[in-house]
Amino acid sequence: KDKKSKIHRPLTKIILRRLPPTMTEETFLEQVSPIPEHDYFYFAKPDPTLGNNLFSRAYINFVNVEDIFLFRDKFDGYVFLDEKGGEYVGIVEYAPFQRISKKKKKKDPK
Amino acid sequence: PETPVQPKEEEPPLHQFIRKILHEDLQKSNEEKILRLMRKLNWDDPEVSAIAIQHLAGGWRVRASARRALARLTAELAIWQEVVAPAVVDTILEEIRVTMEDPHPRYNQRRIATVRYLGELYNYKLLDSRDVFTVLYSFITFGVTNDHSSVSVLDPSDNVFRIRLVCALLETCGAYFNSGSSKKRLDYFLTFFQNYYWFKFSDPIWTKDYQFPIYVKYIYQECLTTLRPKLTLFTSWQQCKDAIDELRQTLYPELGEEEYDNEDQGDDSVND
């Protein structure tokens, strides 16, 4: 199942963690745009059941590996503000799960 | 268009509906019917899709008997809605990470259920064995000092819960790591896991009056002997350390950088 080529494929999907819980996809995109060439983007709101660990997060799969480092340099440690001025220090990491969804969607006949 | 923020008290009916069918109604017998309902949701609506994903990732919310059905439903739904597979797995991995960063006991039951659910999702091929091992190695490395004189807030001396998490995950899907590369990965992992166990077990915090929890010892032993009945378990921390050194020396060329990757799982930051 696990092919050799897979093992040596570079990591391209990153997660930007610890974003403000009230942040929306729109405000996130406003703040980080332009995101270098990418083929996957997913913004997730916090899980309300995780008590005091409420953070939004975003996943990006970059097309060019070099862009990851530029993005990391810019946003790892970047202070994001929520609308009340609360400060949230973003963390950029490789996503532990590198799989992404394909762009083309099968139409569900339902 | 900006809509005013809804008052928090009342959950929108559609959210309640998704929660009810996935977390209350779902069982083996009605899975087909609930899958059809889930497929009929308006997945183009980002809010609906976000709520559905959150609940599909909520394997800890369902009864243990319904956990497998939820995993299977998620896998089947993922065929039609491709956002589902990565988003659900990412959500679960983030929860696992957050609850390692904040290892409060209030999450314990949930953490066990969540890793079991992740194991079920592996059984339905939503993730690879590699991904399961990434999680397994994170349990035994994230914030782990491997040094009794330097105590980690992320992995306090007398917190042995991560041993239970490893066992819970291996109990759910470890039996499938029985051929090819996944079998090899499990063999290597079991050496590192034993090392972690002995690191915890030999911590000087344990005394005659404050003993290492015996039930954790049993869970650990049973987990290993079930997976590898012929395996001779190490009986000291030093034995584990020697075995790891040997593994590195004899197998490293063949392994390439793989094992080192795994070793470094605790530090996932984009460093170089």
Side-chain angles (χ1 to χ4, degrees):
Chain A
K1 195 167 83 181
D2 304 296
K3 296 192 188 74
K4 267 264 147 64
S5 61
K6 230 173 177 177
I7 289 169
H8 297 292
R9 195 195 288 164
L11 304 175
T12 50
K13 182 175 160 190
I14 63 103
I15 172 174
L16 181 41
R17 308 178 66 231
R18 301 199 169 238
L19 299 170
T22 52
M23 193 176 228
T24 62
E25 187 169 328
E26 291 73 38
T27 53
F28 174 77
L29 288 172
E30 270 166 34
Q31 292 193 42
V32 299
S33 283
I35 301 176
E37 197 182 349
H38 58 285
D39 55 8
Y40 179 78
F41 170 73
Y42 184 74
F43 183 85
K45 303 284 280 175
D47 180 342
T49 58
L50 278 174
N52 15 350
N53 304 289
L54 299 188
F55 302 104
S56 301
R57 64 208 143 85
Y59 298 87
I60 304 166
N61 192 59
F62 289 97
V63 173
N64 304 306
V65 176
E66 312 82 64
D67 289 335
I68 295 178
F69 305 111
L70 299 172
F71 189 86
R72 186 266 325 257
D73 289 346
K74 193 161 174 202
F75 293 109
D76 189 36
Y78 185 91
V79 178
F80 291 88
L81 299 176
D82 67 13
E83 65 281 3
K84 287 179 187 151
E87 297 188 349
Y88 293 82
V89 180
I91 304 175
V92 176
E93 294 176 6
Y94 285 121
F97 185 60
Q98 288 284 308
R99 214 186 276 186
I100 59 170
S101 53
K102 289 153 212 138
K103 259 180 284 176
K104 246 183 27 198
K105 215 165 69 175
K106 263 179 267 175
K107 184 78 187 143
D108 188 349
K110 297 184 184 178
Chain B
E2 284 290 314
T3 46
V5 181
Q6 298 222 333
K8 270 272 143 70
E9 307 89 58
E10 187 66 16
E11 211 184 11
L14 189 63
H15 297 197
Q16 290 180 31
F17 173 72
I18 296 174
R19 181 203 300 282
K20 182 181 179 300
I21 60 172
L22 288 183
H23 300 151
E24 290 171 33
D25 299 347
L26 180 67
Q27 18 175 313
K28 215 172 158 186
S29 54
N30 60 11
E31 194 206 310
E32 279 301 316
K33 194 179 125 206
I34 291 180
L35 175 63
R36 274 198 299 278
L37 292 173
M38 287 301 291
R39 282 171 62 186
K40 286 198 172 106
L41 295 178
N42 178 14
W43 286 87
D44 294 331
D45 179 339
E47 203 186 320
V48 172
S49 148
I51 284 294
I53 283 160
Q54 199 160 76
H55 288 313
L56 290 167
W60 57 278
R61 295 166 178 267
V62 300
R63 289 181 301 275
S65 58
R67 197 181 290 138
R68 183 165 294 172
L70 185 62
R72 186 164 47 221
L73 181 142
T74 302
E76 280 172 20
L77 198 54
I79 297 169
W80 301 105
Q81 299 298 337
E82 284 175 337
V83 66
V84 164
V88 165
V89 176
D90 279 331
T91 301
I92 293 170
L93 295 186
E94 177 67 6
E95 178 187 320
I96 289 173
R97 170 68 182 271
V98 166
T99 50
M100 279 203 284
E101 292 173 338
D102 176 19
H104 193 283
R106 72 168 158 262
Y107 297 125
N108 282 4
Q109 220 182 343
R110 168 175 180 173
R111 292 174 80 187
I112 292 277
T114 293
V115 300
R116 285 191 196 281
Y117 184 57
L118 186 76
E120 293 290 359
L121 290 175
Y122 166 74
N123 296 341
Y124 288 105
K125 298 193 163 53
L126 242 62
L127 53 155
D128 293 335
S129 64
R130 259 188 92 75
D131 304 313
V132 174
F133 281 102
T134 299
V135 173
L136 287 169
Y137 275 101
S138 77
F139 288 145
I140 62 169
T141 58
F142 186 75
V144 175
T145 61
N146 264 310
D147 174 2
H148 292 143
S149 61
S150 128
V151 175
S152 165
V153 283
L154 295 175
D155 185 38
S157 304
D158 58 354
N159 187 331
V160 295
F161 197 71
R162 290 187 189 193
I163 296 170
R164 295 191 53 197
L165 290 173
V166 169
C167 293
L169 185 48
L170 287 177
E171 266 167 38
T172 316
C173 62
Y176 297 107
F177 302 144
N178 56 5
S179 66
S181 59
S182 66
K183 176 177 189 289
K184 240 182 189 176
R185 283 198 183 114
L186 180 59
D187 288 334
Y188 298 143
F189 176 75
L190 291 184
T191 301
F192 287 97
F193 180 39
Q194 290 188 75
N195 180 68
Y196 177 72
Y197 174 83
W198 279 98
F199 162 62
K200 300 300 285 188
F201 187 82
S202 59
D203 196 291
I205 199 168
W206 308 117
T207 62
K208 265 212 164 88
D209 300 323
Y210 186 45
Q211 290 186 6
F212 184 90
I214 191 84
Y215 71 96
V216 174
K217 183 181 170 179
Y218 290 149
I219 289 172
Y220 163 80
Q221 287 175 344
E222 198 190 320
C223 171
L224 267 70
T225 50
T226 306
L227 286 170
R228 293 286 184 268
K230 288 177 188 158
L231 186 72
T232 311
L233 300 191
F234 297 124
T235 52
S236 72
W237 194 19
Q238 190 54 49
Q239 274 186 9
C240 302
K241 288 177 183 172
D242 293 344
I244 287 172
D245 279 345
E246 207 184 300
L247 202 62
R248 285 215 169 106
Q249 280 163 20
T250 57
L251 294 178
Y252 188 67
E254 189 185 320
L255 273 172
E257 285 170 79
E258 202 184 345
E259 199 63 32
Y260 267 2
D261 282 355
N262 284 337
E263 264 277 90
D264 288 342
Q265 284 313 332
D267 178 17
D268 281 345
S269 32
V270 186
N271 272 330
D272 42 23

